[in-house]
Amino acid sequence: MFKKRFLAMFTASVMMLTLLAGCGGKDAGTSGGTDKAAGNGKENVEISLWLTPQWKGVYGASEENADYDSFFKAAADKFAKQYDKYNVKVNVQVIAGDQRDELLNVNLNGGTPPDIFFESVFAMGDFAHRGALVPLNDIIDDESKKDIAQNYWDNVTFGDNIYFYPFSHNPGTLAYNADMFKAAGLEKFVGGDTEIKTWTLSEYEEILDGLKNNLEAKYPGARPMALYGLNNQGDTWNLAYLRMFGNKFFDDEGNIVVDDANGVKAAEWLKKIYTGGYTNPGAESVSSNDANAMFQNQKLAISFTNAVLYNNAKADMESGKAPKFDIRLANIPSESGDPLSFTYVVGSNVFNTGNEKRTEVAKDFVKFYSTDPELVKASKNSIPVRSSVAEELKGEFPLFAAYDANSKYLFNFTGNVPGYSQLRQVLYPELQAIYIGEKDPAQAIKDYQTQGNTVIQKAKESSTVYK
């Protein structure tokens, strides 16, 4: 009797161990494995998502325990509950912006890149050229293509492939002090407080004249417009100014073509307003931060801004950190009358980890939080790329409608060319040479094009996009 009972117990134990071994498999780690805990028969797949600090909270900083990783943790939880392919765990890590490139390069060299990175395309474009990213064409649906304006898709397309899923953006415009305009008798050029005003180039020059000749009484020492060239910071506005007379800047092969009559005319215009006293003095040694401070202290009537800087300026006024004035927005004018605008698109890319299951899950997760009707509303923390979100939230954020309408004027300032980060080091020395009189504008533009195309050509040799 005892032997029979022991035999039965032994047999049951063996069967249980066999069953556990079959269900447990290996530990999931980051490469996936068989589910051990849930007993649902699905494999475990663990992926990583990195981001630089963007906004706190799921939808806003006022939420309890709001932090920079809140949105992606909430999105991962929602995704895991409805995902039927695998049991998914998403490890979210916030990376300091000044450590981003170093950490990515170390991990890429070691074969351990993150599966997903949420960041500005401007900062991440070179990784597409390096072949470090996988295309996302297959997760972009027609509805999203219609809801997100084509100019945003142009910003995230390298060659024939889309490498970033747009989520939000940070548009660049001009900012102006409406109080200074009124003091100079320029009321007719002031737009609405929820409008991005468009001026023709001739109107803009009339504004600069009016400000120069009529500000001194109320704003001693103030100048009409910000101009800077100390370094590469804020250089996107300088790139816009060089397009003011119709130069397209890059050709279809990604080469700089600014050295034509229109490009030279733009450089001559910058020299003219500088030597004519329409800008702050010493532009060659003034940084964008310096210019922004002068604008906030009402020493400049017109300056550069983006959505983040604009909101920060208004917050500084409310807190008493800066003088209070009526700040409004305008497009960069052009000779044709069609204004110039640009933006920094923020979204997700997927790194090529070499693990098919992780790549599959990463792409599915990116699509999920980039299209989920509720999660995409978190783009209100910047500016939504989706027209549907801008329309839904325009009552709460009136400028969303203005930014959305402005999307038709966007140009792709990087051209998505390889080596863009190195290319940024080439422009400002040439601008400095113009401002100090070391070179005439035509020579400076010619030298910029020659040096810039050398940078691009060298980068093309290693770019997978151009192969």
Side-chain angles (χ1 to χ4, degrees):
M1 185 66 159
F2 174 78
K3 288 183 178 180
K4 289 182 179 180
R5 185 180 300 168
F6 176 80
L7 182 60
M9 291 173 63
F10 177 78
T11 302
S13 298
V14 171
M15 291 176 65
M16 181 60 70
L17 288 170
T18 303
L19 181 62
L20 285 172
C23 291
K26 64 179 180 178
D27 185 71
T30 56
S31 58
T34 305
D35 179 77
K36 295 188 293 186
N40 56 16
K42 294 191 295 184
E43 286 185 82
N44 296 331
V45 177
E46 190 170 339
I47 63 172
S48 58
L49 183 151
W50 290 7
L51 71 149
T52 54
Q54 301 289 333
W55 70 88
K56 287 187 175 183
V58 180
Y59 297 103
S62 62
E63 298 166 6
E64 186 177 357
N65 299 320
D67 210 339
Y68 292 115
D69 59 4
S70 300
F71 172 80
F72 291 101
K73 286 184 175 179
D77 184 60
K78 187 174 184 180
F79 175 69
K81 289 177 180 176
Q82 60 83 53
Y83 196 54
D84 58 7
K85 296 180 183 178
Y86 306 102
N87 299 313
V88 176
K89 179 180 179 182
V90 181
N91 297 309
V92 181
Q93 186 173 351
V94 180
I95 304 295
D98 59 359
Q99 297 178 11
R100 178 195 59 234
D101 290 351
E102 180 182 358
L103 287 171
L104 279 172
N105 286 325
V106 168
N107 280 269
L108 279 167
N109 291 336
T112 58
D115 296 280
I116 301 168
F117 208 116
F118 186 83
E119 175 63 295
S120 169
V121 177
F122 165 65
M124 300 291 287
D126 280 350
F127 292 101
H129 286 287
R130 289 168 58 177
L133 310 180
V134 299
L136 304 181
N137 306 50
D138 56 333
I139 63 170
I140 310 297
D141 54 70
D142 290 339
E143 184 177 347
S144 291
K145 287 182 178 179
K146 292 176 183 176
D147 197 20
I148 301 173
Q150 182 58 44
N151 284 337
Y152 299 122
W153 293 114
D154 292 342
N155 271 265
V156 300
T157 302
F158 293 69
D160 297 326
N161 292 312
I162 296 170
Y163 285 98
F164 302 84
Y165 208 125
F167 189 85
S168 61
H169 70 116
N170 186 16
T173 62
L174 297 178
Y176 65 98
N177 185 325
D179 294 334
M180 295 176 82
F181 272 50
K182 293 171 185 176
L186 299 169
E187 292 91 340
K188 68 178 181 178
F189 296 114
V190 175
D193 57 3
T194 60
E195 177 186 5
I196 303 172
K197 183 67 174 173
T198 292
W199 303 306
T200 65
L201 185 57
S202 61
E203 287 175 332
Y204 190 62
E205 290 180 332
E206 184 180 345
I207 290 168
L208 294 179
D209 276 330
L211 290 168
K212 180 185 176 185
N213 297 326
N214 298 293
L215 277 182
E216 186 65 27
K218 191 168 181 181
Y219 297 92
R223 298 290 185 96
M225 176 185 167
L227 199 64
Y228 51 87
L230 176 65
N231 52 36
N232 65 6
Q233 297 303 294
D235 55 357
T236 321
W237 284 264
N238 288 328
L239 294 171
Y241 300 145
L242 292 175
R243 289 169 164 89
M244 287 174 63
F245 290 87
N247 181 272
K248 67 177 185 176
F249 214 89
F250 295 107
D251 64 16
D252 294 338
E253 284 73 47
N255 301 306
I256 298 173
V257 290
V258 72
D259 183 23
D260 67 2
N262 292 329
V264 171
K265 194 173 181 180
E268 290 173 343
W269 186 87
L270 289 174
K271 176 72 170 181
K272 179 182 74 172
I273 63 167
Y274 179 60
T275 57
Y278 294 99
T279 75
N280 51 269
E284 69 280 357
S285 58
V286 169
S287 71
S288 59
N289 284 338
D290 296 332
N292 190 45
M294 285 188 278
F295 175 68
Q296 287 195 267
N297 288 309
Q298 301 189 89
K299 293 301 181 183
L300 294 169
I302 304 169
S303 188
F304 72 100
T305 196
N306 57 38
V308 172
L309 291 174
Y310 174 74
N311 289 327
N312 287 346
K314 295 187 80 170
D316 285 346
M317 291 182 202
E318 290 301 317
S319 67
K321 291 181 180 178
K324 204 175 257 194
F325 61 86
D326 186 357
I327 181 174
R328 304 197 184 192
L329 301 176
N331 281 309
I332 299 161
S334 74
E335 188 179 48
S336 70
D338 291 329
L340 294 165
S341 186
F342 60 88
T343 195
Y344 304 94
V345 177
V346 177
S348 307
N349 61 63
V350 174
F351 275 90
N352 183 7
T353 62
N355 186 302
E356 291 184 6
K357 289 179 182 177
R358 284 169 54 193
T359 299
E360 178 188 10
V361 172
K363 290 169 73 172
D364 287 345
F365 184 43
V366 166
K367 181 177 181 178
F368 176 74
Y369 63 73
S370 300
T371 60
D372 180 83
E374 290 303 312
L375 291 173
V376 292
K377 293 178 186 177
S379 61
K380 70 181 183 180
N381 290 285
S382 183
I383 307 295
V385 291
R386 290 183 174 271
S387 296
S388 60
V389 177
E391 176 66 24
E392 182 177 351
L393 300 179
K394 68 181 182 182
E396 184 181 0
F397 304 97
L399 270 171
F400 283 2
Y403 282 125
D404 189 52
N406 218 44
S407 64
K408 59 180 175 288
Y409 301 128
L410 295 172
F411 65 88
N412 182 3
F413 64 90
T414 71
N416 292 348
V417 299
Y420 184 75
S421 58
Q422 296 96 321
L423 184 61
R424 296 182 68 197
Q425 305 303 319
V426 179
L427 177 60
Y428 70 86
E430 299 304 326
L431 293 177
Q432 290 175 354
I434 292 174
Y435 299 144
I436 64 177
E438 184 179 283
K439 296 181 183 180
D440 63 59
Q443 185 62 49
I445 286 297
K446 183 179 183 65
D447 292 346
Y448 168 68
Q449 178 168 306
T450 299
Q451 295 172 53
N453 281 333
T454 299
V455 170
I456 293 172
Q457 188 55 48
K458 184 176 180 180
K460 279 182 178 180
E461 293 172 4
S462 59
S463 169
T464 60
V465 173
Y466 282 87
K467 292 194 181 301

